[in-house]
Amino acid sequence: MPEIKFYKHEPIPMEMHKVKIVQQLSLLPADERLKKMYDASFNTFQLHNGDIFMDMLTDSGVNAMSDQMQSAMLRADDAYAGSETFYRMRDKLEEIFGIKYCLPAHQGRACENILASTFVKPGKCVIMNYHFTTAKAHITRLGGHVEELVKAEGLIPVSDLPFKGDIDIDAVEACIDRETPENIAFMRIESGTNLIGGQPISYKSMKEATDVAKKYGIVSVLDASLLQDNLYFIKTREESMKDKTVREITRMIADLFDIVYFSARKFGFARGGAILVRDEAMFHSMEDYITMFEGFLTYGGMSVKEMEAMTVGFDESMDMDVISQGPQFIKYTVDRLHEAGIPVITPGGGLGAHLNATEFVSHIPQEQYPSGALVCALYLCGGIRGMERGTLSEERTPDGSEHFASMELVRLALPRRVFTLSQVEYVIDRVKWVYDHRDMIGGLRFTHEPKTLRFFTGKLEPVSDWPEKLVAAFKADFGEDQ
């Protein structure tokens, strides 16, 4: 989008849409938030949405639909088999990605289940630039293991590196030599590394990685769930791509891969997903899993109304005015926090702004889940629901010890077309207050710990009465009703 210039105002990101439908929000007083936090066992996933003022947990399935997306839902074809809605979706995906075969699935982790079930056997290795929680869980569930080979500089919290998601090609070659090509189930490239701050990967790095995969006969898979943000960064940060259109860049990326899958809860602004497969035999090797786990091959567990909406959403994801708002709001948030001396991941990536909990609450040991504690503190002091992206999101090693995360982050997601800049300013203000009172925040410990994906349903408690003390300090500054 063109940069909007102001006459007598500092540059700010501009919404390229107008609001037509609104949803009422409420801000509970701090004492009530404290009670709700205990009711939720100090897990923000367990909070009721009605108890939240700013829901920045995720951008998955909560992006705002456009008027065109909502109107498209009225034409949905409810047929169980052979729905015309599916064919419209499939054809649009082929138009954009140039891949003929499409397997619908109800969301991204369903795609990951099917891919893992098809390719992963005990002892098999999956190469990634960086893992995502559900992708890794499906692989390890089947006895496989993951090799994360993002470049080392991608894990440096503060830098000006434009593509922190780039994969280390020398490490890829060494891994293939060590594991042997036959033992590599597939290579998965995440276009926007969720767990290290939504940081993008360059087209150059994707091409280098897939060239290696082709050399050794390894299946290459693109996780395109965060592709829209990654497209923005490639176009604006990668010099060789600045004259390309978003559609041209998308096709160039897709042409590198054997398989593309995505969660449409992110890419497409609706609730669903799909696997796009280039090879017919490979397509047939996976289709039985759709009918077994998802539904018929022309709906795949999705609502056809959502499928019609996401078909329009795919087109909107090719529009620079649409895909630029998220990264611009994130950059604004990250820059304001960084200027205030608050530890954040820079440069701003996709999906959301990421606080560096390792430095923010440096006094909390990793075994007491500093990211989890900080995300709870933000709710207590602002009604803001973020997401823990650190050790709490990892799984224990086979011997029961903690697998400490490479980075301890709190993600403040910015769902597309949802928040206004004044709401973003509120979040920035409350983060500043929490940072100034950070020494009051203590750790957490499990009272109920699921074996898999524990961050979703686990229950925790504070290691001391720090929540009560933090809320008391907040009330002293803001009063009883904030």
Side-chain angles (χ1 to χ4, degrees), residues 77-104:
D77 177 3
D78 288 322
Y80 180 90
S83 168
E84 295 299 333
T85 289
F86 168 76
Y87 295 117
R88 284 190 283 270
M89 184 188 80
R90 181 201 64 182
D91 292 348
K92 178 58 64 177
L93 287 168
E94 185 175 3
E95 172 194 318
I96 291 171
F97 290 98
I99 300 176
K100 180 178 180 180
Y101 299 104
C102 175
L103 295 165

Side-chain angles (χ1 to χ4, degrees), residues 118-133:
T118 302
F119 294 105
V120 176
K121 302 291 185 291
K124 289 277 189 177
C125 172
V126 177
I127 293 174
M128 301 184 183
N129 53 340
Y130 209 78
H131 83 278
F132 183 61
T133 50

Side-chain angles (χ1 to χ4, degrees), residues 100-170:
K100 180 178 180 180
Y101 299 104
C102 175
L103 295 165
H106 78 272
Q107 66 180 91
R109 73 192 57 169
C111 300
E112 292 163 350
N113 174 44
I114 291 158
L115 288 167
S117 298
T118 302
F119 294 105
V120 176
K121 302 291 185 291
K124 289 277 189 177
C125 172
V126 177
I127 293 174
M128 301 184 183
N129 53 340
Y130 209 78
H131 83 278
F132 183 61
T133 50
T134 54
K136 182 176 180 179
H138 282 299
I139 291 161
T140 57
R141 172 179 64 85
L142 295 169
H145 64 279
V146 168
E147 289 288 334
E148 297 174 326
L149 303 178
V150 70
K151 287 185 175 180
E153 54 263 39
L155 300 178
I156 298 172
V158 177
S159 76
D160 57 2
L161 191 69
F163 294 103
K164 287 185 171 181
D166 280 0
I167 197 165
D168 186 332
I169 297 301
D170 291 339

